[in-house]
């Protein structure tokens, strides 16, 4: 089966600019996650969707970050305006089960964002 | 608040050694624990998932154990190979938060 697809792979922007990331999960996977991984740390959940509804966005900095999942399939994560501390790898993951974490997560290769 | 700790942070061993990576968590009320592998510049690959009712899971040369009462899990890698070089992360999902909380990982290097 095809894996989780993410684009772009790399992005360099200046602070206060905006950026968007795209994710296409594995076909049929109900749950989609966006994680932020800062260098040397484990991934931190930003937002979780089940189909096209938001389940958890408690750690999403909503003043600058937004995300949507179109028709319960693809998803985009946007940052506007970006700050230096947003430099990280943004990972998208999907899982088959609609109940959180009952099935393994499948991750994309991530988008490495550098904010200068 | 669930906290996940992994020790050691880095490990360098010669090929052929058997390894033990450690993961500890503070809240024992968990759904499951997962071990992931992350290669440089790549996403995470799920290696093993242990449900809270299970004691261990095995896949090839990998064996993961879970002791929920003590808040510990170990990942055992038998007969290590250079291709095992990667960062290994454990993550737990808790009843209270229903989030997957990751440790900071163990960076493993296996040299020939």
């Amino acid at each position: 089966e095809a894996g989780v697809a993410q684009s772009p792979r790399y992005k360099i922007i200046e602070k206060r600019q905006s950026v968007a990331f795209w994710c296409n999960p594995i076909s049929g996977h109900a749950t989609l996650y966006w994680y932020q991984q800062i260098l040397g740390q484990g991934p931190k959940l930003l937002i979780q969707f089940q189909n096209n509804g938001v389940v958890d966005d408690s750690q999403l900095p909503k003043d600058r970050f937004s995300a949507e999942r179109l028709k319960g399939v693809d998803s985009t994560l946007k940052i506007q305006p970006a700050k230096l501390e947003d430099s990280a790898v943004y990972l998208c993951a999907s899982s088959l089960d609609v109940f959180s974490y009952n099935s393994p997560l499948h991750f994309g290769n991530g988008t490495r964002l550098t904010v200068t | 608040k669930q906290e996940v700790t992994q020790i050691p942070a880095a490990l360098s061993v010669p090929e052929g050694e058997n390894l033990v990576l450690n993961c500890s968590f503070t809240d024992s009320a968990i759904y499951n624990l997962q071990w992931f592998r992350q290669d440089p510049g790549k996403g995470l690959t799920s290696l093993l998932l242990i449900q809270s009712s299970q004691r261990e899971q095995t896949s090839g040369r990998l064996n993961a154990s879970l002791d929920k009462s003590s808040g510990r899990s170990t990942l055992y890698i038998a007969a290590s190979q250079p291709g095992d070089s990667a960062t290994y992360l454990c993550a737990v999902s808790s009843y209270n938060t229903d989030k997957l909380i990751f440790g900071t990982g163990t960076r493993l290097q296996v040299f020939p």
Side-chain angles (χ1 to χ4, degrees):
Chain A
E1 70 185 355
V4 177
Q6 288 189 249
S7 67
R9 285 301 314 277
Y10 307 94
K11 192 73 177 177
I12 301 174
I13 62 173
E14 296 182 350
K15 59 183 179 183
R16 291 187 289 273
Q17 287 187 323
S18 61
V19 65
F21 313 128
W22 174 83
C23 172
N24 181 240
I26 293 174
S27 178
H29 279 199
T31 309
L32 184 148
Y33 314 81
W34 282 102
Y35 283 86
Q36 179 193 60
Q37 186 176 24
I38 294 173
L39 187 65
Q41 298 182 18
K44 182 185 81 172
L45 179 68
L46 292 176
I47 189 167
Q48 176 186 341
F49 294 93
Q50 281 180 4
N51 299 310
N52 61 350
V54 175
V55 174
D56 187 336
D57 63 357
S58 58
Q59 297 189 98
L60 187 74
K62 298 180 187 63
D63 58 334
R64 299 184 300 107
F65 286 64
S66 64
E68 61 179 359
R69 188 176 184 193
L70 304 174
K71 298 181 181 178
V73 182
D74 292 6
S75 178
T76 56
L77 176 69
K78 298 179 181 177
I79 307 175
Q80 181 180 13
K83 293 185 176 181
L84 296 176
E85 59 261 35
D86 298 332
S87 294
V89 175
Y90 290 85
L91 296 164
C92 179
S94 69
S95 64
L96 180 63
D97 207 310
V98 296
F99 296 106
S100 300
Y101 312 124
N102 276 354
S103 57
L105 270 66
H106 299 263
F107 281 82
N109 286 331
T111 296
R112 182 177 297 277
L113 173 67
T114 302
V115 182
T116 63
Chain B
K1 177 186 174 186
Q2 178 73 273
E3 293 183 3
V4 182
T5 305
Q6 290 187 248
I7 294 173
L11 187 60
S12 182
V13 300
E15 182 177 8
E17 279 204 6
N18 299 325
L19 308 171
V20 175
L21 307 182
N22 296 295
C23 172
S24 61
F25 47 95
T26 54
D27 183 357
S28 61
I30 64 170
Y31 286 119
N32 58 47
L33 181 145
Q34 297 185 53
W35 282 93
F36 293 87
R37 168 185 173 138
Q38 186 172 31
D39 292 285
K42 302 284 188 179
L44 282 69
T45 300
S46 180
L47 298 173
L48 291 163
L49 183 152
I50 310 176
Q51 299 290 357
S52 61
S53 59
Q54 297 175 322
R55 297 283 294 185
E56 65 178 338
Q57 282 283 345
T58 299
S59 176
R61 294 182 293 108
L62 305 180
N63 176 275
S65 67
L66 174 64
D67 184 344
K68 200 171 64 166
S69 60
S70 68
R72 293 183 181 183
S73 176
T74 60
L75 179 66
Y76 177 82
I77 304 176
S80 60
Q81 303 170 357
D84 295 330
S85 299
T87 297
Y88 291 81
L89 297 114
C90 71
V92 297
S93 61
S94 304
Y95 289 157
N96 294 332
T97 65
D98 199 28
K99 287 186 183 64
L100 199 61
I101 306 297
F102 282 84
T104 53
T106 294
R107 191 170 66 254
L108 173 65
Q109 182 181 13
V110 181
F111 53 91

